[in-house]
């Protein structure tokens, strides 16, 4: 019997084994030493092309985030150069001893329109930037000699409605394996029956033979290990290739007393399948999976038999100032911040996400709606995916599901967001085909789509094709749709779309705030005309407990789509010129730098139970013309009392004392001008400098308090790290919040001082940012202006270099600050 020790040995051999006798699979990062050039020279793919003067870099890489911002670049895609032809080249050798092995390259994603050449020969082409692919490069290789891979990336302008990034922006892997090996994404794990005592695990493995091995006998041994690495189940099965080059093996294993994957206990199992030929181990493959039940019913969503509302966020793929280049820690930080807000689910709007994000959702106990497309055959932008639809949609969709279906975090597949075919009489036929593909590749999860024109999608039959009906911005229709369709299961696939800028307060409060400053009020009442504030969705979710829940637009601000600015979009390059330099979204509950806006706390008050209270606006209103300042409070208590300089302004009760908010209700039938929100508390108070404080109560007991003081002039810089020990792997990051404070340590809410950074020791500056959606300062620089008192510095470790990193922040007229971070 193979025990824990064996499993450790196996894992080590996976990483380090390169003896030809063993022929076990090697998986090596292929990110180092690439050469990069923006060029349309047609000769670049040739072996002897002179690349001596090319820029050398490491992947993942997003060239567009390097800037500069320009008004002639379309602001819809972030005002950054996301288009144009560029090439990557890499010289490499594969040892002669590997002759006889199969060598493949795995690209997790290239944005977009990539064509790959090995030693001068075109070997692969893939238009969709969000999906990964594997290429068998064995026939083109010269073992023991120099090889050259050249990757052409050719993204066009307006290939999306947001910022997609540009380049080889996800990881690349080299694999060396036996000609007989488990196929790329070749393991499909499902758990059809789960009880308290045991779980049945079905593992379908596809083994590939690159040579004619029809006479040979093989064995596949699959062992399941729990989170401690202890073996909990195993199965060995004989197989042959018969006539084909593929063999599919079905194995049934039983895990006793399964530890279920759930929000708070995201237990993962690891299934390692080993291929043996005459007792010789020739390949192995590891897949993580979870054991959990999910059910979608007319009564709601259930995980492990427990009903839970989906408290979800939509997230685009960029990582703010770091652009679209995948980074594990930056992805983890985004998800940590979302969890802190009370989020339990994410929607990968509107495309397959990075493998890292899914791995993290598995580990962190977050649910995922995996979405495939933002358009089908009818595009939304000039160079949208519709160009590739006919040729590629089936493969892209199948590949997404094959790639992702073992993730316990994924609970549904979305075949599309707001596709134009909602208005097309053939729409339902296309949906039928896509749903069928999903069910073939994964019979265990429901399909869905996000409908913004729900009535049309109902009328043309499209909505009837999916298993779960996602409504974008239609809370007022939930009840009616449920009633009229007794079998449908409904939820808010996209909700709210409230817009705001962190720390910005414009008075008087207006329902449509397209302020000339290019900043939007942070009182959480503004939205474009198809959308509405969070409270409206809360109201419908609360009154209709059987609706599965919601995915808000959006958790984080993202680059591009700077609604409500830049409206003159005639979809051609450079014509979104009206509101330059507004270049990124205002939709996030968290800004582009990762700083929570006030709205973050409104969601927290509704989605979390740990006592909290939040207070807005700031308290620096010197010289204001307004007699009364609206003060808002968000709490998960039931009452709160406000004090101005110690004087009570009254104690108010949530739901009884409703906060009247002026809103621009797009999705609300009858369109009233106000909503009396039971989700917030407010007082209108006369401004006097000093201090405002709010005390929150639950069942009469104080649970939390928060004060804001009038700040004096900016005096010094404060630096706060998210982590002060990072890994010396050349990838890990420390996110440093830069805060401007006065002489008494009070936060200066209006400060916009320019801060300069000096980083010494084993780290570099990865990015800077401040959450200002209308800033054209570069993200890669050693300075940043504060925006409403805050900016961000992101530092990255150097590979293999340990020691102390010193960060010095200076600014004209302010006291500077030095801190250290360790790299181990
Ligand atoms: C939705 C769309 C999203 C985003 C959002 C902004 O209609 O699906 O991608 O554009 O509007 O409110």
């Amino acid at each position: 019997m193979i025990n824990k020790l064996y499993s450790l040995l196996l894992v080590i051999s996976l990483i380090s084994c390169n003896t030809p006798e063993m022929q076990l699979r090697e998986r090596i990062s292929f990110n180092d030493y690439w050469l990069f050039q923006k060029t349309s020279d047609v000769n670049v793919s040739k072996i002897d092309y002179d690349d001596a003067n090319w820029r050398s870099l490491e992947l993942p890489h997003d060239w567009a985030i390097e800037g500069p911002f320009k008004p002639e670049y379309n602001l819809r895609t972030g005002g950054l150069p996301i288009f144009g032809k560029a090439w990557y080249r890499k010289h490499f050798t594969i040892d002669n001893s590997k002759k006889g092995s199969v060598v493949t390259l795995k690209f997790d994603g290239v944005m977009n329109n990539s064509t790959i050449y090995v030693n001068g020969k075109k070997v692969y082409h893939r238009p969709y930037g969000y999906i990964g692919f594997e290429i068998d490069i064995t026939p083109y290789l010269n073992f023991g000699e120099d090889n050259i891979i050249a990757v052409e990336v050719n993204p066009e302008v307006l290939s999306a409605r947001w910022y997609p990034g540009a380049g080889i922006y996800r990881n690349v892997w080299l694999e060396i394996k036996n000609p007989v090996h488990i196929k790329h994404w070749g393991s499909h794990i499902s758990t059809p029956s789960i009880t308290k005592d045991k779980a049945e695990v079905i593992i379908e493995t596809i083994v590939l033979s690159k040579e004619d091995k029809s006479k040979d006998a093989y064995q596949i041994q699959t062992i399941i290990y729990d989170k401690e690495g202890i073996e909990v189940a195993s199965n060995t099965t004989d197989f042959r290739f018969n006539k084909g080059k593929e063999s599919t093996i079905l194995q049934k294993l039983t895990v006793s007393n399964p530890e279920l994957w759930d929000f708070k206990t995201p237990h993962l199992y690891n299934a390692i399948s080993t291929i043996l030929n005459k007792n010789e181990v020739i390949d192995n493959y590891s897949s993580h999976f979870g054991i959990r039940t999910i059910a979608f019913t007319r009564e709601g969503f259930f995980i492990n038999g427990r009903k839970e509302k989906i408290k979800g966020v939509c997230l685009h793929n960029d990582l703010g100032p770091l652009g679209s280049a995948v980074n594990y820690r930056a992805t983890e930080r985004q998800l940590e911040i979302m969890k802190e807000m009370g989020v339990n689910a994410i929607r990968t709007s509107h495309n397959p996400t990075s493998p890292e994000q899914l791995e993290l959702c598995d580990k962190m106990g977050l649910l995922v709606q995996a979405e495939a497309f933002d358009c089908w055959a009818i595009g939304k932008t000039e160079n949208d995916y519709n160009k590739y639809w006919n040729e590629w949609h089936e493969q892209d969709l199948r590949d997404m599901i094959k790639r992702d279906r073992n993730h316990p975090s994924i609970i549904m597949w979305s075949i599309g967001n707001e596709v134009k075919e909602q208005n097309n009489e053939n729409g339902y036929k296309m949906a039928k085909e896509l749903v069928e593909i999903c069910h073939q590749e994964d019979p265990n999860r429901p399909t869905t789509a996000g409908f913004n024109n729900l009535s049309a999608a109902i009328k043309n039959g499209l909505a009837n094709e999916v298993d779960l009906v996602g409504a974008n911005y239609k809370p007022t229709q939930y009840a009616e749709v449920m009633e009229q369709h007794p079998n449908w299961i409904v939820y808010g696939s996209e909700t709210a779309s409230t817009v705001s800028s962190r720390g910005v307060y414009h008075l008087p409060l207006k329902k449509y705030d397209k302020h000339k400053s290019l900043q939007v009020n942070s009182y959480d009442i503004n939205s474009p005309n198809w959308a509405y504030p969070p409270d409206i969705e809360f109201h419908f979710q609360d009154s209709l407990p059987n609706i599965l829940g919601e995915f808000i637009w959006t958790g984080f601000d993202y680059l591009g789509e700077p609604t409500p600015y830049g409206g003159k979009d005639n979809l051609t390059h450079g014509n979104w010129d009206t509101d330059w330099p507004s270049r990124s979204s205002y939709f996030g509950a968290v800004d582009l730098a990762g700083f929570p806006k006030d709205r973050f706390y409104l969601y927290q008050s509704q989605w979390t139970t740990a006592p909290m209270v939040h207070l807005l606006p700031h308290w620096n209103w010197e010289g204001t013309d307004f007699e009364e300042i609206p003060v808002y409070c968000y709490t998960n208590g039931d009452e709160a009392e406000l004090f101005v300089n110690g004087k009570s302004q009254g104690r108010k009760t949530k739901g009884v004392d409703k906060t009247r908010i002026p809103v621009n209700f797009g999705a609300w039938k009858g369109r009233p001008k106000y909503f009396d929100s039971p989700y917030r508390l407010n007082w209108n108070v006369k401004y006097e400098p000093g201090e405002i404080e709010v005390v929150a109560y639950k069942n009469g007991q104080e649970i939390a308090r928060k004060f804001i003081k009038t700040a004096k002039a900016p005096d010094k810089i404060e630096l706060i790290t998210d982590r002060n020990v990072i890994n010396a792997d050349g990838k890990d990051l420390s996110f440093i919040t830069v805060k401007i404070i006065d002489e008494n340590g009070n936060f200066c809410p209006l400060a916009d001082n320019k801060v300069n950074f000096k980083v010494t020791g084993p780290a570099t500056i990865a990015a800077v940012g401040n959450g200002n959606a209308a800033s054209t300062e570069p993200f890669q620089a050693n300075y940043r202006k504060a925006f409403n008192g805050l900016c961000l510095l992101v530092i990255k470790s150097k590979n293999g270099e340990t020691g102390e990193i010193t960060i010095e922040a200076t600014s004209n007229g302010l006291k500077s600050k030095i801190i250290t971070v360790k790299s181990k």
Side-chain angles (χ1 to χ4, degrees):
M1 187 164 130
I2 298 175
N3 56 23
K4 187 178 174 184
L5 183 66
Y6 182 87
S7 93
L8 282 175
L9 287 174
L10 191 65
V11 173
I12 293 163
S13 66
L14 263 174
I15 299 161
S16 64
C17 163
N18 45 20
T19 54
E21 310 87 75
M22 287 279 288
Q23 291 258 357
L24 279 196
R25 168 182 302 224
E26 285 179 74
R27 178 177 160 90
I28 304 156
S29 167
F30 206 60
N31 289 337
D32 288 356
Y33 305 113
W34 284 81
L35 300 167
F36 173 74
Q37 183 91 339
K38 271 193 156 177
T39 171
S40 347
D41 188 339
V42 288
N43 296 312
V44 179
S45 65
K46 298 201 172 125
I47 303 181
D48 53 1
Y49 186 83
D50 180 9
D51 55 21
N53 295 320
W54 280 30
R55 172 178 162 196
S56 121
L57 51 75
E58 200 174 306
L59 305 178
H61 173 238
D62 170 7
W63 80 64
I65 201 67
E66 295 165 2
F69 290 103
K70 282 193 185 168
E72 64 263 34
Y73 299 156
N74 201 295
L75 290 169
R76 184 165 206 176
T77 48
L80 287 163
I82 59 136
F83 54 88
K85 202 178 265 192
W87 285 83
Y88 294 82
R89 282 170 61 93
K90 180 177 161 90
H91 300 255
F92 65 103
T93 46
I94 305 281
D95 202 83
N96 234 339
S97 64
K98 306 292 176 196
K99 247 190 189 155
S101 302
V102 165
V103 181
T104 67
L105 282 177
K106 294 187 178 204
F107 287 83
D108 285 347
V110 184
M111 191 61 74
N112 69 333
N113 248 325
S114 57
T115 310
I116 289 132
Y117 299 81
V118 176
N119 292 330
K121 285 201 192 68
K122 179 174 163 180
V123 298
Y124 197 79
H125 172 67
R126 192 75 174 226
Y128 203 25
Y130 292 105
I131 194 70
F133 48 87
E134 182 188 52
I135 317 165
D136 180 356
I137 59 169
T138 326
Y140 314 98
L141 281 180
N142 302 315
F143 287 87
E145 291 170 34
D146 254 14
N147 293 280
I148 174 88
I149 172 163
V151 179
E152 181 200 70
V153 188
N154 194 9
E156 295 175 289
V157 292
L158 279 166
S159 58
R161 300 182 294 112
W162 56 85
Y163 173 83
I168 309 182
Y169 75 118
R170 288 184 182 163
N171 289 300
V172 185
W173 307 93
L174 178 88
E175 281 196 355
I176 304 176
K177 48 205 169 192
N178 193 288
V180 173
H181 58 264
I182 295 171
K183 202 179 171 178
H184 183 44
W185 304 325
S187 143
H188 180 195
I189 304 181
S190 54
T191 50
S193 139
I194 301 169
T195 63
K196 209 173 153 289
D197 304 330
K198 59 177 191 194
E200 197 175 278
V201 182
I202 307 280
I203 307 188
E204 187 187 278
T205 311
I206 304 176
V207 184
L208 207 65
S209 172
K210 288 280 178 175
E211 294 160 5
D212 180 11
K213 294 281 182 187
S214 51
K215 294 203 181 79
D216 287 16
Y218 290 88
Q219 277 190 322
I220 176 167
Q221 178 189 55
T222 298
I223 301 176
I224 298 177
Y225 299 94
D226 71 7
K227 60 181 193 299
E228 263 94 44
I230 314 254
E231 177 184 333
V232 293
S234 79
N235 175 301
T236 302
T237 308
D238 297 327
F239 71 97
R240 285 177 186 275
F241 284 98
N242 299 325
K243 286 204 188 81
K245 292 212 159 166
E246 271 189 24
S247 185
T248 301
I249 304 110
L250 211 63
Q251 292 178 295
K252 203 196 251 182
L253 295 90
T254 304
V255 173
S256 307
N257 306 314
E259 294 194 273
L260 300 188
W261 186 93
D262 211 318
F263 298 131
K264 289 203 178 112
T265 52
H267 294 301
L268 292 173
Y269 288 89
N270 187 9
I272 297 184
S273 295
T274 304
I275 308 292
L276 297 122
N277 179 211
K278 299 190 193 98
N279 293 329
E280 186 198 352
V281 174
I282 56 171
D283 188 37
N284 44 23
Y285 191 93
S286 127
S287 325
H288 287 92
F289 68 100
I291 299 175
R292 49 108 182 102
T293 64
I294 51 170
F296 296 87
T297 74
R298 290 275 290 179
E299 278 69 54
F301 166 69
F302 293 79
I303 178 160
N304 298 324
R306 196 181 69 245
K307 181 169 166 170
E308 291 280 353
K309 269 267 184 188
I310 293 174
K311 300 164 184 165
V313 289
C314 300
L315 290 180
H316 267 317
N317 84 120
D318 72 72
L319 295 167
L322 293 158
S324 292
V326 157
N327 179 282
Y328 190 84
R329 172 57 199 154
T331 308
E332 181 180 51
R333 172 180 178 253
Q334 268 201 345
L335 298 174
E336 280 170 4
I337 294 170
M338 291 294 94
K339 280 192 83 160
E340 208 184 308
M341 187 165 95
V343 166
N344 65 13
I346 66 157
R347 171 179 183 232
T348 69
S349 44
H350 301 299
N351 39 258
T353 188
S354 68
E356 288 75 10
Q357 195 187 43
L358 294 175
E359 187 186 319
L360 280 158
C361 287
D362 286 352
K363 279 191 186 156
M364 296 169 76
L366 284 161
L367 307 174
V368 176
Q369 173 191 129
E371 189 154 73
F373 306 115
D374 188 49
C375 79
W376 293 349
I378 310 171
K380 298 178 181 172
T381 58
E382 199 174 82
N383 290 304
D384 218 339
Y385 181 77
N386 63 307
K387 282 186 150 185
Y388 311 110
W389 181 259
N390 285 343
E391 195 181 341
W392 285 98
H393 73 270
E394 181 175 350
Q395 183 166 357
D396 285 334
L397 181 59
R398 284 195 196 277
D399 282 1
M400 176 182 89
I401 300 177
K402 284 191 181 121
R403 187 192 72 161
D404 295 342
R405 62 193 169 186
N406 290 346
H407 289 282
S409 54
I410 296 186
I411 56 167
M412 51 173 112
W413 305 112
S414 166
I415 58 170
N417 171 60
E418 301 189 351
V419 294
K420 296 282 182 199
E421 283 80 355
Q422 288 169 109
N423 304 307
N424 183 314
E425 62 176 309
N426 283 328
Y428 80 96
K429 287 190 198 149
M430 297 176 75
K432 204 187 250 320
E433 181 213 335
L434 300 171
V435 165
E436 224 170 84
I437 292 172
C438 294
H439 287 166
Q440 282 165 5
E441 298 297 344
D442 179 12
N444 301 313
R445 290 183 183 84
T447 58
T448 186
F451 302 111
N452 60 327
N453 197 343
L454 188 55
S455 315
I458 292 175
K459 206 164 144 207
N460 79 357
L462 211 167
N464 197 40
E465 294 300 328
V466 291
D467 304 309
L468 309 171
V469 176
N472 285 13
Y473 311 101
K474 298 287 173 287
T476 55
Q477 293 181 31
Y478 294 156
E480 192 183 301
V481 172
M482 285 281 274
E483 204 180 289
Q484 287 172 359
H485 304 274
N487 300 320
W488 285 13
I489 296 167
V490 179
Y491 71 101
S493 34
E494 210 174 294
T495 61
S497 264
T498 309
V499 280
S500 63
S501 304
R502 176 184 50 77
V504 169
Y505 306 98
H506 297 141
L507 295 179
L509 299 186
K510 281 198 227 145
K511 64 176 186 165
Y512 193 61
D513 178 48
K514 199 175 168 178
H515 201 268
K516 58 183 182 311
S517 62
L518 302 181
Q519 303 300 343
V520 186
N521 215 338
S522 187
Y523 276 95
D524 306 316
I525 56 173
N526 298 113
S527 63
N529 68 1
W530 58 88
Y532 47 85
D535 317 49
I536 311 284
E537 188 69 33
F538 293 159
H539 166 77
F540 285 99
Q541 292 289 340
D542 283 351
S543 40
L544 300 164
N546 293 355
I547 298 296
L548 304 181
E550 64 166 317
F551 290 90
I552 67 167
W553 191 266
T554 46
F556 264 70
D557 273 343
Y558 50 94
L559 286 155
E561 203 180 29
T563 311
Y565 301 104
K568 196 180 137 207
D569 181 13
N570 71 359
L571 302 186
T572 51
H573 180 206
N575 232 337
W576 241 39
D577 52 2
T578 45
D579 293 314
W580 164 264
S582 170
R583 50 70 174 152
S584 60
S585 103
Y586 300 77
F587 289 116
V590 174
D591 75 16
L592 199 73
F595 302 133
K597 301 180 188 173
D598 292 302
R599 199 152 19 107
F600 173 94
Y601 301 98
L602 182 53
Y603 283 105
Q604 208 178 48
S605 73
Q606 182 70 0
W607 286 353
T608 68
T609 50
M612 58 76 57
V613 66
H614 180 71
L615 188 61
L616 66 135
H618 60 68
W619 210 238
N620 268 76
W621 291 90
E622 302 81 30
T624 180
D625 292 337
F626 292 94
E627 292 202 347
E628 291 197 316
I629 308 293
V631 174
Y632 281 22
C633 158
Y634 307 146
T635 176
N636 51 15
D638 41 38
E639 284 179 289
E641 183 168 10
L642 180 75
F643 299 87
V644 177
N645 291 330
K647 282 187 291 288
S648 173
Q649 307 297 308
R651 184 157 160 167
K652 298 202 172 192
T653 307
K654 261 171 89 178
V656 175
D657 297 297
K658 294 189 178 170
T659 300
R660 172 154 272 227
I661 52 176
V663 278
N664 196 31
F665 293 120
W668 186 288
K669 276 187 189 162
R671 300 194 177 200
K673 288 192 179 117
Y674 296 96
F675 178 68
D676 291 317
S677 174
Y679 300 100
R680 349 179 163 198
L681 290 169
N682 105 285
W683 299 259
N684 291 321
V685 299
K686 194 171 161 330
Y687 176 66
E688 47 180 72
E691 180 189 287
I692 50 171
E693 183 171 35
V694 73
V695 185
Y697 297 89
K698 191 162 195 167
N699 303 325
Q701 299 291 312
E702 178 181 332
I703 56 159
R705 57 171 67 206
K706 181 164 183 188
F707 65 84
I708 302 175
K709 285 192 173 171
T710 307
K712 291 188 180 162
D715 183 62
K716 46 184 174 245
I717 303 168
E718 199 180 338
L719 298 178
I720 306 151
T721 58
D722 70 332
R723 282 155 71 242
N724 52 21
V725 181
I726 58 175
N727 298 322
D729 58 5
K731 297 184 187 83
D732 204 3
L733 307 171
S734 180
F735 288 82
I736 302 163
T737 300
V738 183
K739 210 169 166 183
I740 311 295
I741 53 178
D742 73 4
E743 62 185 28
N744 300 318
N746 296 315
F747 175 60
C748 297
L750 302 170
D752 60 358
N753 309 62
K754 179 178 165 195
V755 183
N756 302 300
F757 304 110
K758 195 169 153 205
V759 176
T760 43
T764 54
I765 295 179
V768 291
N770 63 9
N772 178 355
S775 161
T776 53
E777 284 180 300
F779 289 124
Q780 298 182 0
N782 58 358
Y783 63 91
R784 191 66 169 191
K785 275 181 82 166
F787 175 61
N788 293 324
L790 297 176
C791 62
L792 176 79
L793 167 70
V794 190
I795 60 163
K796 187 193 251 179
S797 66
K798 289 186 182 166
N799 195 7
E801 294 183 36
T802 56
E804 204 157 80
I805 305 157
T806 305
I807 299 115
E808 185 181 3
T810 56
S811 179
N812 244 342
L814 299 184
K815 295 188 185 89
S816 52
K817 179 81 184 183
I818 297 183
I819 57 159
T820 58
V821 167
K822 264 205 187 81
S823 184
K824 312 206 291 193

